[in-house]
């Protein structure tokens, strides 16, 4: 009986204050809905970031370099109590040693060519201070970003160019397929040292692909062999093998 009276009393209170009860219930409902949106939204953002990262970079791939990446002007940052060690030359033997490590499927070399500029057919002006790299790749390689069109694999005497180059000349990607591109030492770079031996150096290739590197800057990709040939020639080495033995 007593419980019945208490329940009846509670019903009366609710009935008297319908508006307040309704607003309180509405506020709780809205809070729950907003909290749900936030939770699901964060999960969606997490998924989007993860997908974007894994679409551009394979989480199981790493890049090694024998160069220091400290603040500008500081060069290699070393602990004062470390013994001085000679820089490792990353040559074919080094790659073989990497591949012998447990859980390493394969290793490949990459070369960076600085202080070069290039011209494409009659397109003007020339592309100065280009960022050019050399490695063996194809259209499915994550490291080149999104492949737009062209031959499936990059072969010797051929190059891929980036969408940035296409945009520079306000053209369409397919206009460049089959065009000749000429690389030469840059005369505009503040880091380039002008030398008599470099004045007439030119290297001609055929454009066979266009890719979009995204936020990365990479204007032209050559094969590893072509990159080694250019670097050896520019550096005055007798052969590509000698360049790799001394520089890596």
């Amino acid at each position: 009986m007593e419980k019945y009276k208490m329940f009846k009393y509670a019903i009366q209170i609710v009935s008297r204050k319908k508006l307040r009860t309704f607003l309180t219930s509405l506020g709780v409902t809205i809070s729950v809905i907003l909290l749900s949106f936030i939770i699901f939204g964060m999960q969606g953002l997490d998924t989007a970031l993860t997908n974007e990262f894994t679409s551009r970079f394979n989480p199981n791939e790493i890049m090694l370099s024998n160069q220091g990446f400290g603040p500008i002007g500081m060069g290699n940052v070393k602990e004062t109590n470390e013994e001085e060690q000679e820089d490792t030359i990353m040559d074919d033997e080094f790659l073989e040693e990497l591949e012998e490590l447990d859980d390493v499927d394969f290793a490949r070399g990459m070369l960076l060519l600085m202080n070069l500029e290039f011209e494409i057919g009659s397109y003007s002006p020339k592309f100065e201070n280009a960022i050019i790299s050399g490695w063996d790749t194809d259209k499915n390689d994550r490291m080149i970003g999104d492949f737009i069109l062209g031959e499936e694999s990059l072969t010797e005497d051929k190059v891929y160019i980036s969408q940035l180059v296409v945009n520079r000349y306000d053209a369409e990607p397919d206009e460049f397929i089959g065009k000749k591109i000429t690389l030469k030492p840059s005369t505009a770079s503040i880091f380039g040292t002008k030398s008599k031996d470099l004045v007439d150096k030119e290297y001609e290739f055929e454009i066979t692909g266009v890719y979009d590197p995204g936020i990365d800057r990479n204007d032209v990709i050559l094969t590893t062999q072509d990159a080694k040939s250019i670097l050896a020639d520019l550096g005055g080495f007798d052969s590509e093998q000698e360049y790799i033995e001394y520089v890596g």
Side-chain angles (χ1 to χ4, degrees):
M1 187 65 179
E2 188 67 27
K3 292 182 178 180
Y4 173 74
K5 289 182 178 180
M6 292 180 63
F7 180 73
K8 183 178 180 181
Y9 179 68
I11 294 294
Q12 289 175 348
I13 293 177
V14 173
S15 299
R16 291 172 187 170
K17 301 180 179 180
K18 291 182 180 179
L19 180 59
R20 180 179 298 177
T21 303
F22 171 76
L23 293 176
T24 302
S25 301
L26 180 61
V28 172
T29 303
I30 292 175
S31 298
V32 172
I33 293 174
L34 290 176
L35 184 59
S36 300
F37 277 135
I38 292 173
I39 293 174
F40 289 123
M42 291 301 294
Q43 291 177 343
L45 178 61
D46 178 68
T47 301
L49 291 175
T50 301
N51 290 340
E52 177 65 19
F53 183 81
T54 55
S55 66
R56 293 188 176 276
F57 305 99
N58 189 332
N60 295 329
E61 291 181 354
I62 62 174
M63 183 179 294
L64 303 178
S65 172
N66 61 356
Q67 301 298 316
F69 290 97
I72 295 177
M74 292 184 64
N76 293 342
V77 180
K78 298 182 179 180
E79 297 291 339
T80 55
N81 60 350
E82 286 185 357
E83 295 183 2
E84 292 293 329
Q85 296 180 351
E86 294 184 1
D87 291 336
T88 299
I89 299 295
M90 293 183 173
D91 53 14
D92 292 334
E93 183 178 348
F94 177 80
L95 294 180
E96 292 174 2
E97 291 178 359
L98 286 181
E99 291 184 330
E100 291 175 358
L101 297 176
D102 293 339
D103 299 323
V104 174
D105 291 331
F106 73 95
R108 62 177 173 177
M110 176 183 292
L111 295 161
L112 187 62
L113 296 82
M114 303 296 292
N115 302 325
L116 292 178
E117 62 188 28
F118 62 81
E119 297 176 337
I120 301 176
S122 60
Y123 289 91
S124 182
K126 60 186 176 183
F127 201 106
E128 299 174 340
N129 296 324
I131 295 180
I132 302 172
S133 55
W135 81 87
D136 298 323
T137 185
D138 58 47
K139 70 175 186 179
N140 298 314
D141 192 340
R142 291 172 181 264
M143 290 192 64
I144 69 172
D146 296 324
F147 191 78
I148 298 176
L149 58 84
E151 293 185 3
E152 181 172 344
S153 298
L154 184 62
T155 56
E156 292 182 22
D157 300 322
K158 309 292 177 63
V159 303
Y160 289 163
I161 64 172
S162 76
Q163 181 67 46
L164 176 65
V165 177
V166 174
N167 295 341
R168 168 75 178 275
Y169 296 112
D170 193 24
E172 295 298 325
D174 58 353
E175 295 181 31
F176 292 89
I177 301 298
K179 289 284 196 304
K180 297 297 182 181
I181 179 172
T182 303
L183 280 57
K184 59 182 69 176
S186 177
T187 58
S189 173
I190 61 174
F191 302 105
T193 300
K194 295 178 176 59
S195 167
K196 181 179 179 181
D197 295 334
L198 299 180
V199 172
D200 297 324
K201 299 284 187 182
E202 291 188 355
Y203 311 94
E204 188 175 89
F205 299 89
E206 179 185 352
I207 299 172
T208 58
V210 178
Y211 62 95
D212 182 0
I215 62 174
D216 298 322
R217 173 79 188 278
N218 192 15
D219 304 320
V220 179
I221 301 176
L222 315 171
T223 64
T224 304
Q225 180 58 44
D226 287 334
K228 287 191 295 185
S229 297
I230 292 176
L231 290 170
D233 186 47
L234 290 175
F237 293 91
D238 293 333
S239 66
E240 295 91 344
Q241 186 59 35
E242 185 184 36
Y243 174 84
I244 295 300
E245 289 176 357
Y246 279 89
V247 181

